[in-house]
Amino acid sequence: MRNIKQGLEAISVGMQSQVPTETLQAFGASIADLQLKEFGKNSQEGMLFPSTVVINEEGKEVSIVDKYRGKKVLVSFVRGSWCPFCTVEIAHLISYYEELQEKGIEVIVVSPMQIEALKQWKDEMQMPFTVIQDRSLRLSKALGIDFELQDFVQPHYEALGLDLKVINHTDIAELALPAVYIVDENGIIIFRYMDVNYSERLDLQEVMIKF
């Protein structure tokens, strides 16, 4: 999916007719609350990407920086297969994957979902890149892009069948902001995108121009 904005807009329009009004209002209030907070202070361009361990597809702990040292890496943080906006982003990444490879950029998708569920999602969408589990959002916390879902919005997620504590095997309902980092061969962050609004995602055309 090259036109990510069109795909995201289609999901937003569909939600207007499929999701209860009070739930949409709660989602909007959640985003507005997050806009008052500061995220990513310790993960700006020019800083080192954290060496915090994550879980790879073999179920082993690895550090993205250590494993991919000597290569450029695009690291995309998504919520999971239950998020339709994330699915649009994944399709967008797939459409640009070959071009990113030609520019020497590896692609990694990170989610707090259990690794087996992530691998199933990878198979369903035929993702050509690596998926990684951010267990207990340790890497997201190191980057400063994590947040606890507000009490007033949690029941609305659960009413939609989304219990984040169950999905992510965590003690609290927490998520990471939609974010994309590009890390250079030495582990330095050379590009960062993040947005508290889950319906907004990076258009990779902007990245292709830069690199």
Side-chain angles (χ1 to χ4, degrees), residues 43-62:
S43 59
Q44 300 177 39
E45 291 182 19
M47 292 183 173
L48 276 170
F49 193 83
S51 58
T52 309
V53 296
V54 290
I55 308 301
N56 68 11
E57 293 179 26
E58 288 72 47
K60 297 179 180 179
E61 290 191 340
V62 297

Side-chain angles (χ1 to χ4, degrees), residues 46-211:
M47 292 183 173
L48 276 170
F49 193 83
S51 58
T52 309
V53 296
V54 290
I55 308 301
N56 68 11
E57 293 179 26
E58 288 72 47
K60 297 179 180 179
E61 290 191 340
V62 297
S63 161
I64 292 174
V65 170
D66 293 341
K67 180 174 177 57
Y68 290 92
R69 191 170 298 279
K71 297 181 179 179
K72 289 190 180 75
V73 187
L74 182 152
V75 187
S76 176
F77 286 79
V78 298
R79 305 198 294 177
S81 57
W82 55 269
C83 168
F85 297 99
C86 299
T87 298
V88 169
E89 181 179 350
I90 293 297
H92 186 60
L93 273 170
I94 291 171
S95 72
Y96 273 96
Y97 180 67
E98 287 188 10
E99 289 177 51
L100 288 164
Q101 287 274 285
E102 289 170 2
K103 292 179 178 290
I105 301 175
E106 298 290 335
V107 176
I108 300 172
V109 168
V110 181
S111 165
M113 282 200 338
Q114 294 292 294
I115 190 63
E116 290 306 319
L118 278 172
K119 288 164 63 177
Q120 181 178 346
W121 189 27
K122 175 178 178 173
D123 290 343
E124 290 170 353
M125 292 201 66
Q126 299 183 352
M127 301 182 204
F129 32 74
T130 299
V131 294
I132 289 287
Q133 178 193 351
D134 185 12
R135 181 180 288 172
S136 299
L137 287 90
R138 289 181 291 188
L139 178 56
S140 299
K141 290 172 182 175
L143 291 163
I145 59 172
D146 66 299
F147 66 94
E148 184 175 355
L149 205 62
Q150 303 95 331
D151 290 342
F152 67 81
V153 78
Q154 285 190 42
H156 293 279
Y157 273 76
E158 292 167 6
L160 295 172
L162 301 171
D163 187 333
L164 296 181
K165 290 180 284 189
V166 173
I167 293 171
N168 298 334
H169 287 219
T170 52
D171 294 328
I172 61 174
E174 53 189 350
L175 290 169
L177 300 183
V180 176
Y181 291 86
I182 296 182
V183 182
D184 75 6
E185 297 87 345
N186 298 309
I188 303 295
I189 298 168
I190 56 175
F191 175 85
R192 183 188 73 176
Y193 166 92
M194 64 180 188
D195 199 316
V196 300
N197 188 342
Y198 57 82
S199 68
E200 297 290 338
R201 304 297 168 110
L202 173 67
D203 187 337
L204 283 171
Q205 186 175 0
E206 301 171 20
V207 173
M208 307 313 290
I209 293 171
K210 292 177 180 289
F211 298 93

